Amino acid sequence: MALIDTINPLLTTGWTKGDAGWGIKDYEARGGYKQLRRVLESRMTQDDLIAEVKTSVLRGRGGAGFPTGLKWSFMPKAAPLKYVVCNTDEGEPGTFKDRDLMRFDPHAVIEGMIIAGYAVGAKAGYNYIHGEIFEVYQRFEEALDQARAAGYLGNNILGSEFSFDLFAHHGWGAYICGEETGLLESIEGKKGQPRYKPPFPANFGLYGKPTTINNTETFAAIPFILGMGGEAYLNLGKPNNGGTKLFSVSGHVNRPGNFEVPMGTPFSKLLEMAGGMRGGRKLKAVIPGGSSAPVLPADVIMDCTMDYDSIAKAGSMLGSGAVIVMDETVCMVKALERLSYFYYEESCGQCTPCREGSGWLYRVVHRIEHGEGRPEDLDLLNRVTDNMMGKTICALADAAAFPVRSFIKHFKSEFEYHIENKKCLVDPETQRMGSGFFKAGAA
Amino acid sequence: MVEIEIDGKTLQVEDGSTVIEAAHKLGTYIPHFCYHKKLSIAANCRMCLVQVEKAPKPMPACATIVTNGMKVFTHSELAVKAQKAVMEFLLINHPLDCPICDQGGECQLQDLAVGYGDSASKYEEEKRVVPDKDLGPLVSTDMTRCINCTRCIRFTAEIAGFMELGQSYRGERAEVMPFIGKTVDTELSGNIIDLCPVGALTSKPFRFSARTWELSRRKSVSPHDALGSNLIVQTKHDKVMRVLPLENEAVNECWISDKERFSYQGLNSADRLTKPMVKQGGEWKEVDWNVALDYAAHALRDVARNHGGAAIGGLLSPHATLEEMFLAQKLLRSLGSENIDLRLRHSDFSADGKRAGIPSLGMKIADISALDRVLVVGSFLRKDHPLIAQRLRQSAKKAAQVSILHSANDELLINLTARAIAPPSHLPALLAQVAKAVCAAKGAAVPSDIASLSITADAQAIADSLVSGSNSAVLLGNFAQQHPQAAMLHALGRLIATTLGGRLGFLGEAANSVGGYVARAVPGNGGLNAAAMLKDPRQAYVVLGAEADLDTADGAQALAALAKAAVTVVLTPFRTPAMLDYAAVLLPTAPFTETSGTFVNTEGRVQSFYAAAKPLGEARPGWKVLRVLGNLLEQAGFDQDSSEDVRNEALGGKREFVAGMSNGIEAVALSFADGADKLERVADVPIYFADPLVRRSPALQQAADSAVPAARMNAATLAKSGLAAGDAVKVGAGGTVITLRAGLDNGLPDNVVRVAAAHADTIGLGAMFATLTVEKA
């Protein structure tokens, strides 16, 4: 199902025909490549273009929420060789928006990247696509061929003086390659390990050249921003949180999937669009921005609106917009064990605190879950996370630490129960009912 | 310059410095593992985290660039908490097997754990175990101890030039390893032992043989190549157990080659001559020193008296000390002989009498790094001069352009700008083409004897590179110096260098190639050079430190000459079967670790050293033996009390650099032979066979560079001879035939057969430069 529900659709307007509507003809029929043509034919200046994106307050959709226009303005004007890179290495557990975006509307990404290339003065771009979505990579290659054939890529695009080409590159599924400098290393054929910053990619990026890296959804939003104007786009959302955003809702809801809503939409509305809680069960907790975002208990999240500022105020992160919904059948210790295993498995091994700490965290949580916890373990976990956070080259150590700290903070009694009674607070029978093996509502 | 404050102390540092560099300037130590001043910044160990004012998080001192007004706190609560946190993480999976670890006592992790570690670990899970790797005969691994600092990886990639190590797998399972099924074969591999901050990489030959705190440390100087690396020789009970680099930025920086690091094994070889020996009636007898010296003195005096001093020849190893060479030449001259030479592997001596001074590097070693255009002529650079190659490798990564003109296109792991490869007999013509092109580009007059040459594209490319720079040098390697037209190459190199306004340099062949000239260990008026005194056999020879069969330009000829002599006195640390055959007296002299002495390196730097250990058995320092021989021969000038006295006499006082160096040369007649269609030999001196000491290191003899010599040709030459790689092949020269395996080496030009010299298997072939025949066996 391509599209379930949406409010004010922009990015998802092309999804209604599902797999039938991704081609260049359909995209053009939807007004696609019109903005590229306008930019080139009107000889829009790079500064005006960047100013428009700044006005929209489009913030990076990959998770960090950095203002896109500002990022573009960091690119040195004089450099002869520059790159734009699209980060479609969507590896954050719970996130699947870029996959669908690339599947149903790849040309929006291509058009956004070409316009970005124009704005920052790049001659070439790369789209780094997650290894596990190989069909999407293949479709993107096809889309590139279509765009090239139609004259949107290559030399003197649409008869202008602007030349730009775009290449697809697929990874092999390492989470760390979603970190922008790890991604650059990977494109260069090296082991995907983040680089120390500074220098930032805007100065020393792909092959040592100035590079702008944005998320897939960020690029896809560009043609729509230019179409409606930065001001109008901003007004779709709320101040400092421009536009609409895709949310990947997963977990214990009736209709998991991608939902495009304006920034600032209440969480309760999003939950309603996703069909509400499965089996009518009680909401227990939500991870609002992908697995590395701190978990929020039901009462906190129900008061939040879905935008960067509101979620941050509640003590978590909007991140990539992956909303993981957990109901009362979930054992929080078991959930954390799974998350900790992920970070233990995906740490690149470069920095000492993350390499050693991520395994330590997992082993202790695993022990607690398996009835071998000790009373001092919660303090130990907090201490280890404290020693990991902010001490590594990239944010993976923090990403491994946040779930541990937030799970313990909000669900401490459950952990204590586990340690004391050597079993789950939520009895196994209830857990099994919620696991999804049983039809919703059958209980 | 920017001003920063570290722990309340203010200092000025250069723009772009890192915090750790600034702190070191102040003498403030910041704990670290992955940081190394000669390697790129990895910032992965996180041990050097410090507090920087206004930064919310602790910052790695190794990667944080200073900014004006920056305030750094290395011992604040935030900094120390971060450092202790990292130490705890480093130790959770470390085996803590210090009592059985070779690194114990000199381990950075151990040392820092004292300052930053807890007395007990809170980690109670199972520890990681990492499989060990086979890195070859020199470096031993205990990978469970590895802290993944990646210093070794960065060393192979950046300093040695080829990334032979890498990190595989992720996270906690990350492992440092070589390519599958490969070992680490760089000639600089031992440095990763020093770089490893823990006991993951240790010395295989040294392993489990001593604790580091039991060892005495003595400064010394490498007796091998002409760089004169500064060494620390470590001994236990007067036995050398280990050799490490002594940092000297002007010479070896903080590195040494494997040859220098592991050759010490040869010091304890079973070949060591520990008692004087005399051959009487065809029988070898161990005798007391006075008997042996008496015998030697009488024998030499008799030859001088009966046949004249010119009947005596002196073959001196260029690896001998300055003092030994000085007294040896003095002794020979006192007997009336001017037949003295240390250039045992040379074949062209026509520059003698034409040189303006002592041939040397012509600049400081450190100046090499500042050159922007370099032409290396006739050199197996990486194997003959590993650390000079390393300096050029670093320069070539920046703005410098390095080119080579040689008879083999070996992988130098240097980003070369141009290369011209031709058979040995074509090298003078090829260099002349470069000279002509350089003259033309510079608007200088083209000498008439090269004016008619047509310039090949390769020679033009070299010339184009050279003329585009502003600080250039032509460096003549061992092969160029050993070449039968060495004087021509010298003169042409000189022409190119002067036309460019650049410099000409000789990459010295051995530890004391320059010192030998200073000591006058070269033929005097009417004296015979090394080749002449072997071609035209003498009645008597004095051989100092050399093994005539392996250390000369034509081992077969040398053996024949020495066998014919009535008396051969050999001063040597080692005895060989060949010596027992040709010598009359064997006098056991001390190798470099058991004597004081001096080596003058290729830049002319005088480097003296003391003995690190007592001489083995009855071996004695060579200078003392020669001094006593002088006394026994009742000659004047043999009354020095110490090696320093000898050195000062040889140098005319105490000096840091020797006087009289110049690479100038008078006009040399240039004529270019056409050796077309003949198969020419290209003879390299394999790195671990170059001198008597290194030949006796069992570990080095197992290294990849010690492979059995083959007859290597390029594909076309193999095909032309009806051969395939691996075939047994009869290689003939001057009537002798030996059988070798054919090998493929596409870096060789057509009509060339590469057969290593200085190896027992190939002595029979005779001269290093010759035409050969090959035939399928």
Side-chain angles (χ1 to χ4, degrees):
Chain A
M1 202 187 312
L3 186 63
I4 302 163
D5 198 0
T6 174
I7 305 170
N8 269 334
L10 294 174
L11 301 167
T12 52
T13 41
W15 295 19
T16 44
K17 283 166 77 179
D19 277 322
W22 70 272
I24 195 162
K25 291 276 166 294
D26 285 281
Y27 183 64
E28 285 173 332
R30 293 196 290 271
Y33 289 116
K34 224 157 115 186
Q35 296 310 318
L36 174 64
R37 193 179 293 275
R38 181 171 73 86
V39 165
L40 294 178
E41 283 174 358
S42 69
R43 293 169 182 263
M44 200 167 178
T45 66
Q46 295 177 336
D47 288 342
D48 287 351
L49 189 45
I50 292 175
E52 192 71 50
V53 177
K54 276 186 181 168
T55 307
S56 76
V57 197
L58 171 66
R59 292 172 62 171
R61 302 299 195 220
F66 193 83
T68 305
L70 190 60
K71 197 181 216 179
W72 289 7
S73 70
F74 291 154
M75 288 287 275
K77 280 239 154 63
L81 188 53
K82 290 176 264 191
Y83 294 105
V84 289
V85 172
C86 177
N87 184 346
T88 313
D89 193 59
E90 190 179 39
E92 184 82 8
T95 318
F96 42 85
K97 64 186 180 65
D98 295 339
R99 179 196 66 187
D100 282 3
L101 202 46
M102 293 274 289
R103 179 175 165 190
F104 300 123
D105 208 9
H107 285 286
V109 180
I110 295 173
E111 186 179 1
M113 286 189 75
I114 302 170
I115 293 170
Y118 179 87
V120 301
K123 290 200 174 58
Y126 290 86
N127 188 0
Y128 188 98
I129 301 163
H130 202 219
E132 276 100 331
I133 49 173
F134 196 73
E135 299 84 351
V136 168
Y137 160 75
Q138 287 172 314
R139 173 164 295 179
F140 192 74
E141 289 278 23
E142 257 184 89
L144 285 177
D145 287 344
Q146 293 175 345
R148 250 180 234 121
Y152 296 121
L153 286 172
N155 287 331
N156 302 97
I157 294 170
L158 301 176
S160 71
E161 279 160 24
F162 178 60
S163 300
F164 182 84
D165 214 340
L166 188 54
F167 307 94
H169 183 105
H170 80 83
W172 292 97
Y175 176 66
I176 196 62
C177 290
E179 198 281 345
E180 59 182 17
T181 54
L183 183 151
L184 295 180
E185 290 281 297
S186 181
I187 293 184
E188 289 180 13
K190 301 176 192 157
K191 194 178 182 204
Q193 287 187 333
R195 298 174 183 167
Y196 182 77
K197 289 151 290 229
F200 288 93
N203 290 309
F204 188 93
L206 187 62
Y207 302 111
K209 305 292 180 237
T211 302
T212 288
I213 310 178
N214 287 126
N215 172 252
T216 320
E217 187 184 346
T218 311
F219 281 121
I222 298 297
F224 297 102
I225 290 171
L226 294 183
M228 70 197 319
E231 192 71 40
Y233 183 81
L234 169 62
N235 291 336
L236 277 179
K238 59 188 237 188
N240 198 32
N241 295 272
T244 60
K245 162 114 192 70
L246 287 169
F247 288 95
S248 306
V249 183
S250 64
H252 297 154
V253 293
N254 278 318
R255 294 192 300 179
N258 284 312
F259 301 89
E260 184 182 11
V261 297
M263 289 290 224
T265 302
F267 170 75
S268 52
K269 175 69 188 161
L270 188 64
L271 185 60
E272 186 193 313
M273 287 166 75
M277 296 303 293
R278 196 162 63 187
R281 289 197 196 90
K282 208 172 136 209
L283 177 68
K284 183 170 188 178
V286 171
I287 301 175
S291 63
S292 55
V295 69
L296 294 175
D299 52 334
V300 177
I301 187 72
M302 288 306 281
D303 289 341
C304 288
T305 56
M306 297 309 285
D307 56 81
Y308 296 102
D309 297 341
S310 170
I311 300 287
K313 214 171 136 202
S316 187
M317 309 183 299
L318 188 70
S320 55
V323 180
I324 301 169
V325 180
M326 292 179 266
D327 69 15
E328 60 199 340
T329 66
V330 172
C331 168
M332 296 311 274
V333 180
K334 189 163 194 156
L336 178 62
E337 184 203 8
R338 194 69 198 85
L339 288 176
S340 290
Y341 183 78
F342 176 78
Y343 290 102
Y344 159 61
E345 174 70 31
E346 295 293 344
S347 166
C348 82
Q350 192 176 196
C351 303
T352 306
C354 179
R355 179 182 66 239
E356 308 295 344
S358 57
W360 195 352
L361 292 180
Y362 164 67
R363 287 193 177 84
V364 174
V365 178
H366 176 84
R367 223 179 45 210
I368 298 172
E369 167 64 16
H370 289 80
E372 289 163 26
R374 301 163 197 158
E376 65 274 18
D377 277 350
L378 298 185
D379 286 342
L380 177 65
L381 287 172
N382 276 327
R383 206 176 64 86
V384 172
T385 53
D386 201 31
N387 285 343
M388 289 169 72
M389 288 192 304
K391 295 184 181 63
T392 49
I393 289 175
C394 79
L396 198 144
D398 299 79
F402 286 157
V404 175
R405 291 175 79 87
S406 60
F407 271 66
I408 293 176
K409 181 179 163 198
H410 295 298
F411 301 94
K412 194 166 187 185
S413 58
E414 223 173 298
F415 282 81
E416 285 168 346
Y417 182 92
H418 234 296
I419 291 169
E420 211 168 296
N421 299 291
K422 315 216 173 296
K423 61 178 185 185
C424 299
L425 179 63
V426 181
D427 74 276
E429 198 53 39
T430 309
Q431 285 186 48
R432 245 198 309 281
M433 282 197 297
S435 72
F437 283 110
F438 301 89
K439 276 271 169 259
Chain B
M1 298 293 269
V2 293
E3 189 173 281
I4 71 159
E5 190 186 298
I6 298 178
D7 296 336
K9 286 179 245 172
T10 313
L11 84 158
Q12 300 257 331
V13 289
E14 276 174 40
D15 287 10
S17 303
T18 59
V19 169
I20 207 166
E21 286 165 352
H24 285 168
K25 224 174 149 186
L26 263 185
T28 302
Y29 181 77
I30 296 175
H32 60 269
F33 294 104
C34 69
Y35 167 77
H36 189 276
K37 63 185 173 184
K38 293 281 181 189
L39 303 175
S40 64
I41 295 166
N44 62 28
C45 80
R46 314 309 284 180
M47 192 64 210
C48 68
L49 290 173
V50 293
Q51 186 178 359
V52 175
E53 192 185 50
K54 290 183 195 138
K57 300 189 280 191
M59 307 286 280
C62 70
T64 304
I65 307 293
V66 294
T67 54
N68 213 8
M70 181 185 263
K71 283 188 180 164
V72 178
F73 306 94
T74 66
H75 291 88
S76 65
E77 200 188 323
L78 181 86
V80 172
K81 186 169 179 276
Q83 291 158 3
K84 287 190 166 179
V86 172
M87 177 53 72
E88 179 178 31
F89 285 128
L90 283 170
L91 292 179
I92 63 170
N93 274 308
H94 191 77
L96 300 175
D97 57 346
C98 310
I100 56 148
C101 175
D102 257 6
Q103 193 86 353
E106 54 180 16
C107 174
Q108 231 170 317
L109 185 62
Q110 198 178 35
D111 293 350
L112 289 179
V114 174
Y116 300 88
D118 261 341
S119 51
S121 176
K122 302 222 165 28
Y123 185 76
E124 291 174 21
E125 322 305 318
E126 257 184 61
K127 288 202 177 208
R128 170 176 65 219
V129 174
V130 183
D132 287 339
K133 313 290 182 287
D134 177 12
L135 302 187
L138 306 177
V139 183
S140 180
T141 68
D142 289 274
M143 296 314 289
T144 300
R145 298 177 187 145
C146 175
I147 59 168
N148 285 287
C149 73
T150 70
R151 274 186 181 182
C152 54
I153 296 173
R154 284 174 284 146
F155 177 85
T156 60
E158 295 162 16
I159 306 296
F162 179 60
M163 192 176 180
E164 288 186 275
L165 288 169
Q167 191 186 40
S168 289
Y169 311 126
R170 290 189 309 207
E172 203 185 79
R173 294 166 305 281
E175 286 179 31
V176 172
M177 56 170 69
F179 288 104
I180 293 167
K182 303 278 186 199
T183 50
V184 174
D185 296 332
T186 161
E187 62 285 348
L188 299 173
S189 72
N191 292 296
I192 62 177
I193 299 166
D194 298 342
L195 286 171
C196 183
V198 297
L201 305 177
T202 53
S203 164
K204 211 172 244 184
F206 174 68
R207 194 166 156 84
F208 301 146
S209 62
R211 303 304 323 218
T212 58
W213 53 86
E214 303 170 330
L215 300 172
S216 307
R217 298 158 64 88
R218 296 280 183 276
K219 290 182 189 176
S220 193
V221 178
S222 163
H224 300 292
D225 68 38
L227 187 78
S229 290
N230 293 194
L231 308 177
I232 296 171
V233 173
Q234 299 191 321
T235 61
K236 181 181 173 184
H237 307 316
D238 277 313
K239 185 179 170 193
V240 176
M241 305 300 290
R242 189 165 70 157
V243 171
L244 299 174
L246 175 65
E247 189 170 340
N248 185 343
E249 196 58 28
V251 179
N252 51 307
E253 304 171 68
C254 53
W255 317 122
I256 53 174
S257 65
D258 289 355
K259 177 154 84 166
E260 294 162 332
R261 186 183 299 270
F262 297 109
S263 70
Y264 74 87
Q265 282 191 305
L267 297 167
N268 308 314
S269 138
D271 290 351
R272 274 297 293 273
L273 181 66
T274 53
K275 272 187 97 95
M277 294 175 79
V278 170
K279 186 151 70 178
Q280 282 177 325
E283 287 284 304
W284 279 100
K285 292 209 169 94
E286 290 187 344
V287 296
D288 287 341
W289 266 106
N290 57 355
V291 175
L293 288 169
D294 252 354
Y295 184 100
H298 274 102
L300 291 173
R301 184 155 41 199
D302 286 351
V303 171
R305 193 177 290 154
N306 299 334
H307 303 277
I312 305 175
L315 298 166
L316 316 185
S317 165
H319 299 277
T321 66
L322 176 79
E323 293 79 356
E324 289 164 347
M325 285 199 264
F326 181 72
L327 291 179
Q329 62 83 25
K330 204 170 186 181
L331 186 82
L332 287 156
R333 291 200 158 97
S334 74
L335 289 166
S337 172
E338 288 290 340
N339 309 331
I340 303 157
D341 213 341
L342 81 154
R343 299 163 300 179
L344 307 184
R345 288 203 180 102
H346 286 208
S347 47
D348 177 20
F349 299 85
S350 60
D352 285 3
K354 292 182 174 175
R355 282 190 203 89
I358 296 167
S360 71
L361 189 61
M363 64 194 100
K364 299 279 183 289
I365 286 166
D367 293 344
I368 292 175
S369 304
L371 296 169
D372 66 2
R373 297 292 182 273
V374 180
L375 170 59
V376 177
V377 178
S379 178
F380 298 95
L381 190 66
R382 230 179 97 199
K383 303 301 173 184
D384 290 346
H385 305 282
L387 289 174
I388 290 177
Q390 188 276 132
R391 280 193 188 257
L392 289 174
R393 183 172 302 134
Q394 305 314 324
S395 308
K397 278 189 218 165
K398 297 171 202 150
Q401 296 184 0
V402 180
S403 303
I404 190 161
L405 188 147
H406 190 32
S407 291
N409 190 9
D410 286 2
E411 179 55 70
L412 298 179
L413 302 176
I414 294 173
N415 184 16
L416 292 174
T417 299
R419 61 189 98 202
I421 307 297
S425 68
H426 294 234
L427 288 189
L430 199 52
L431 189 59
Q433 292 169 27
V434 176
K436 182 182 170 187
V438 166
C439 287
K442 283 282 176 186
V446 178
S448 58
D449 39 8
I450 63 172
S452 63
L453 291 171
S454 51
I455 300 168
T456 58
D458 290 345
Q460 187 65 49
I462 290 175
D464 289 347
S465 163
L466 288 174
V467 299
S468 65
S470 60
N471 183 11
S472 55
V474 177
L475 300 175
L476 299 171
N478 297 4
F479 190 78
Q481 295 166 57
Q482 293 156 359
H483 193 277
Q485 283 93 38
M488 267 194 241
L489 294 172
H490 181 173
L492 288 164
R494 175 86 182 159
L495 173 63
I496 294 169
T498 48
T499 308
L500 290 167
R503 284 176 277 194
L504 172 68
F506 285 88
L507 299 169
E509 278 181 274
N512 231 348
S513 290
V514 172
Y517 280 92
V518 182
R520 296 181 60 223
V522 282
N525 235 345
L528 299 178
N529 58 53
M533 70 178 101
L534 291 169
K535 193 173 173 218
D536 186 5
R538 305 286 97 194
Q539 285 291 318
Y541 289 96
V542 174
V543 182
L544 172 66
E547 291 169 5
D549 41 350
L550 298 168
D551 293 332
T552 54
D554 185 340
Q557 188 185 55
L559 281 181
L562 292 171
K564 269 189 212 156
V567 183
T568 297
V569 179
V570 184
L571 291 83
T572 175
F574 305 104
R575 54 185 234 183
T576 69
M579 275 178 200
L580 294 179
D581 197 37
Y582 60 66
V585 188
L586 294 177
L587 302 176
T589 53
F592 81 107
T593 47
E594 299 168 17
T595 179
S596 56
T598 302
F599 292 126
V600 181
N601 78 357
T602 189
E603 59 180 338
R605 184 185 296 268
V606 178
Q607 302 195 98
S608 297
F609 52 89
Y610 295 110
K614 274 192 228 143
L616 187 69
E618 289 184 25
R620 290 295 174 263
W623 73 269
K624 288 188 179 175
V625 174
L626 289 158
R627 179 193 180 281
V628 175
L629 259 181
N631 296 145
L632 288 174
L633 288 164
E634 293 165 350
Q635 299 297 335
F638 288 90
D639 46 10
Q640 300 86 351
D641 285 335
S642 64
S643 65
E644 284 89 343
D645 285 352
V646 183
R647 179 193 67 201
N648 294 346
E649 190 182 333
L651 298 177
K654 205 168 183 300
R655 290 171 180 280
E656 198 188 340
F657 288 91
V658 298
M661 290 183 287
S662 168
N663 293 334
I665 185 166
E666 286 169 24
V668 170
L670 301 173
S671 64
F672 305 110
D674 183 9
D677 284 351
K678 284 192 182 145
L679 281 182
E680 292 185 43
R681 178 178 180 185
V682 167
D684 58 314
V685 177
I687 181 167
Y688 302 138
F689 290 91
D691 62 69
L693 182 58
V694 72
R695 283 197 279 270
R696 291 179 169 80
S697 163
L700 291 175
Q701 292 305 313
Q702 291 166 37
D705 279 325
S706 298
V708 176
R712 287 189 274 164
M713 289 159 255
N714 69 18
T717 309
L718 275 177
K720 203 170 112 185
S721 312
L723 293 165
D727 285 352
V729 53
K730 285 182 181 163
V731 183
T736 320
V737 174
I738 62 170
T739 304
L740 298 170
R741 290 275 161 202
L744 175 68
D745 180 349
N746 277 329
L748 294 170
D750 288 345
N751 295 325
V752 149
V753 185
R754 178 165 172 175
V755 181
H759 196 282
D761 292 2
T762 64
I763 298 167
L765 269 190
M768 289 169 69
F769 290 83
T771 54
L772 298 179
T773 57
V774 294
E775 192 189 339
K776 196 165 175 176

